[in-house]
């Protein structure tokens, strides 16, 4: 069980009450547009994922672990984020994230992903965290750059994705860079992990 708290949010393992909301926002074509799943995303598929997650130890190399995101002042899933420690190198991890449309553009994603990166660097012996996004996914590009991640790669038509060749950016941040960046920031940075 993971519980990460930020100023406004709680990031935690999935609960049965999340099924409906999770299935609904994953069924939104705009949310799914640059993601691997297709719409609709039925309850059965959500249930299968939740069951898989309940059997997965967070940080197991080669296995994604997805985490629900809810507001502290209002229960209910508003999005999720996830990470995968790499099988080829357990000191490197990849992250991903999605928010239901009504909860986008309010800074929640920035706050949640910052909390996730804090958690990952402080909990696992990670050296580097990466994120991969479609070059057309401008909201994701802005989010990753806002977090101070560096664009290290621009792959041209490297992936057959939803009926056409897609191009992707690879973003990365090292632990020492994250620590320096975050220390240099003056904004409040409230984060705690409950194990
Ligand atoms: C990618 C994604 C998570 C980004 O979410 P987001 O809502 O843009 O990010 P935030 O919640 O951090 O909001 C930041 C934006 O809200 C604005 N904003 C408005 N009110 C704000 C507030 N009170 N505090 C902070 N930012 C606020 C910011 O200016 C910023 O706008 P900008 O991107 O135009 O510069 C979201 O677009 C999403 O879920 N997409 C679908 C799934 C997906 O594609 N995931 C990524 C795959 S790589």
């Amino acid at each position: 069980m993971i519980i990460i708290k930020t100023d406004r949010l709680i990031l935690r393992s999935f609960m049965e009450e999340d099924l409906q909301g999770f299935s609904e926002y994953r069924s939104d074509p705009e949310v799914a547009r640059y993601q691997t799943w297709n719409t609709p995303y039925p309850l059965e598929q959500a249930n299968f994922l939740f069951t898989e997650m309940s059997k997965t130890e967070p940080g197991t190399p080669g296995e994604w672990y997805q985490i629900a995101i809810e507001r502290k002042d209002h229960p209910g899933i508003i999005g999720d984020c996830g990470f995968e420690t790499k099988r080829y190198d357990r000191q490197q991890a990849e992250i991903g994230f999605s928010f239901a449309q009504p909860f986008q553009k309010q800074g929640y994603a920035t706050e949640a992903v910052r909390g996730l990166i804090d958690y990952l660097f402080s909990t696992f012996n990670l050296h580097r965290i990466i994120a991969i996004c479609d070059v057309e996914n401008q909201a994701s590009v802005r989010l990753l750059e806002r977090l101070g991640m560096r664009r290290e790669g621009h792959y041209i038509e490297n992936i057959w994705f939803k009926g056409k060749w897609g191009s992707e950016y690879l973003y990365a941040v090292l632990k020492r860079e994250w620590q320096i960046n975050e220390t240099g920031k003056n904004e409040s940075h409230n984060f705690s992990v409950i194990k």
Side-chain angles (χ1 to χ4, degrees), residues 104-127:
Q104 294 182 10
K105 300 285 167 224
Q106 297 169 65
Y108 288 136
T110 305
E111 186 174 323
V113 179
R114 182 175 284 144
L116 174 68
I117 295 175
D118 278 332
Y119 162 76
L120 292 175
F121 276 135
S122 66
T123 307
F124 303 99
N125 185 28
L126 292 181
H127 172 66

Side-chain angles (χ1 to χ4, degrees), residues 2-24:
I2 289 179
I3 303 178
I4 303 166
K5 292 187 174 180
T6 65
D7 282 339
R8 297 178 294 170
L9 303 171
I10 300 176
L11 283 61
R12 51 150 184 82
S13 305
F14 288 122
M15 300 190 307
E16 208 178 326
E17 300 89 283
D18 300 326
L19 271 174
Q20 185 71 37
F22 183 79
S23 155
E24 278 172 15

Side-chain angles (χ1 to χ4, degrees), residues 8 30-32 34-35 37 96-100 103-111 132-134 137-140 142-144 146:
R8 297 178 294 170
E30 275 309 303
V31 174
Y34 300 113
Q35 298 284 32
W37 66 85
F97 33 79
S98 300
F99 277 74
F103 304 102
Q104 294 182 10
K105 300 285 167 224
Q106 297 169 65
Y108 288 136
T110 305
E111 186 174 323
I132 295 170
C133 78
D134 194 293
N137 192 349
Q138 283 306 309
S140 185
R142 284 195 299 277
L143 168 62
L144 295 167
R146 197 178 301 121

